[in-house]
Amino acid sequence: MREAVDREIRTMKFRSSAWFGPADRDGFIHRSWMKNQGLPDHLFDGRPVIGICNTWSELTPCNSHFRRIADYVKRGVYEAGGFPLEFPVMSMGETLMRPTTMLFRNLVSMDVEESIRANPIDGVVLLAGCDKTTPALLMGAASCDLPAIMVSGGPMLNGKFRGQDIGSGTSVWQFSEDVRSGAMSLCDFMDAEACMSRSAGHCMTMGTASTMASVVEALGMGLPTNAAIPAADSRRYALAHTAGRRVVEMVHEDLRMSKILTRAAFENAIRVVGAIGGSTNAVIHLLAIAGRIGVKLTLDDWNDLGRDVPCLVNLMPSGKYLMEDFYYAGGLPAVIRELGDMIHQDALTVNGKTMGHNAAEAPCYNRDVIRSFQEPLRADSGIAVLRGNLCPDGAIIKPSAATPELMKHRGRAVVFENSDDFHARIDDPNLDVDEHSVMVLKNCGPRGYPGMPEVGNMPLPPKSLKKGITDMVRISDARMSGTAYGTVVLHVAPESAAGGVLAIVQNGDPIELDVAARRLHLDVPDSEIERRRASWEPPEPPAGRGYCKLYYDHVMQADRGVDLDFLVGASGAGVPKASH
Ligand code: FES
């Protein structure tokens, strides 16, 4: 009894003490049930409790190795005198979930936020890999603002198909178009399946998962080299171990997320996304994360900050290599070092050191993979934000993935009212389309689909493919896979289902795209636009109940990060009322 009372006096330092500290009925309940897991009494002596937030799932193949990663995090936590407790949250597998993982990103963020706040957790290690798992965990944790480190799961090893390197997603899109044009047999296409995904890990192109893992490092939320170590490389597990050690120190230092996720950190991340030729999905995810931590970030910041950033990383889909090559070439620290003054060198990171310190000596071992600032892969990188009557609240395009000749283009619209309409007609030989047409897809935005799926990189019509056409201007309110490429205008806001001008575009309307002038214009008289809008009727809501209804009623547009309006901001990590 005397020991228990002493413990209560000793243990009021961290929030977990509110559960495990008291020598009373509630303290008994909190400790006793935990002890059924074989946890000895000394673990409840007031040491920092570290939650390990795990998105492991066999339905999320990119994260299927996460229980092993969690074990390595635990080693580090124990070694530093902490008490690790692993907990699951809903996982999101990009390839299987329908209608789209993006519909559930905000739901998972709520799961993360409430799981952390409701439990005796003093610091947290976030395990994420597949696309949406990274922003969801950062958003949820940011709304609690405890000390946190993210450990990414790491990319798969390079795909290997008949002597060639092939990349997740990017090569699928290419092969699929080759099958449709007759350049590849269906048998060869099927053979490539197992050759593409041959180890644990997430997509190994510079798609959304690799981009967001790089964002984690650029924000300072991950340890140096977090972005690129392959999932199959033993150093991924050493990094997990180190993260476990470090998060215990962060709790002692009270190094909360808000001390790392400053405006400077977001500016660094935007510039890094430009330099790596990163995914357009990073735009909405960073806007949403900033909204949770109270940093003012807008779509225009992407345009302004990314404008002069050259693309330095020669990875698919903008270039030719893959993440394994990126790691061997030096990984993200080499890119950050190369960006020099474009990076806020004094931004703090989770290892307690600055961005500049971490990258000061970063070597580059392969200049074809990581180019120098003076000789970049492409000078025009970053994300271009377009404005005009077709997108008064903005739209985006990724210049490094687009065809230079199409960056200034005027063409007649070929309109698809929704994705079903697109699939029903795109292969029709009588479709009135040619290579100068502008393909327009409606009702695929945050509310329209719902969930803003990655369908913006519409496959080209077979009649164009057979002529050898490899790119056309495409416009939608949808997103695009980070592994995809093309002259694709995305995230049109307001979306068509919310009554944006996109909703009233008709076949044959002239559309002008001018990326250099950041302009997207529907060349139809204002009076005609107003006439069409007056007779426009919104589509039926997709659901009358459940999470889909909550999402539909509260989701914000792409320029606001597609978060739910009531989730913006943070509620901190105050200790809730007792449950008994
Ligand atoms: Fe999981 Fe690409 S499908 S990262």
Side-chain angles (χ1 to χ4, degrees), residues 230-280:
D233 193 308
S234 53
R235 287 164 287 189
R236 174 61 59 189
Y237 298 90
L239 181 133
H241 182 133
T242 308
R245 242 184 100 87
R246 175 59 193 150
V247 74
V248 176
E249 296 169 359
M250 289 172 69
V251 171
H252 285 293
E253 295 164 10
D254 194 30
L255 183 51
R256 294 164 181 271
M257 285 181 82
S258 55
K259 295 180 183 172
I260 291 170
L261 292 180
T262 60
R263 166 86 192 179
F266 284 94
E267 292 189 359
N268 283 346
I270 288 173
R271 290 200 157 121
V272 162
V273 170
I276 61 177
S279 165
T280 47

Side-chain angles (χ1 to χ4, degrees), residues 307-321:
R307 198 164 197 140
D308 301 322
V309 181
C311 182
L312 303 179
V313 175
N314 189 6
L315 256 61
M316 296 182 199
S318 299
K320 70 173 182 179
Y321 294 102

Side-chain angles (χ1 to χ4, degrees), residues 324-359:
E324 196 182 337
D325 309 306
F326 184 41
Y327 178 54
Y328 303 149
L332 201 71
V335 176
I336 290 171
R337 182 183 184 187
E338 203 61 38
L339 285 173
D341 291 346
M342 285 199 149
I343 292 293
H344 295 286
Q345 301 286 329
D346 56 350
L348 189 60
T349 76
V350 286
N351 71 355
K353 305 201 167 62
T354 64
M355 194 62 65
H357 176 94
N358 289 340

Side-chain angles (χ1 to χ4, degrees), residues 118-190:
N119 280 297
I121 289 173
D122 302 309
V124 62
V125 178
L126 307 164
L127 304 188
C130 199
D131 293 10
K132 307 302 176 297
T133 56
T134 297
L137 268 54
L138 288 174
M139 290 161 69
S143 287
C144 290
D145 195 20
L146 285 175
I149 290 186
M150 180 163 274
V151 176
S152 300
M156 287 186 273
L157 299 175
N158 289 5
K160 298 280 182 186
F161 179 57
R162 300 182 180 175
Q164 303 279 322
D165 278 8
I166 58 172
S168 318
T170 305
S171 297
V172 182
W173 317 131
Q174 180 60 54
F175 292 165
S176 169
E177 296 291 63
D178 288 349
V179 170
R180 294 174 74 236
S181 71
M184 185 181 202
S185 76
L186 193 55
C187 263
D188 288 352
F189 183 66
M190 306 293 266

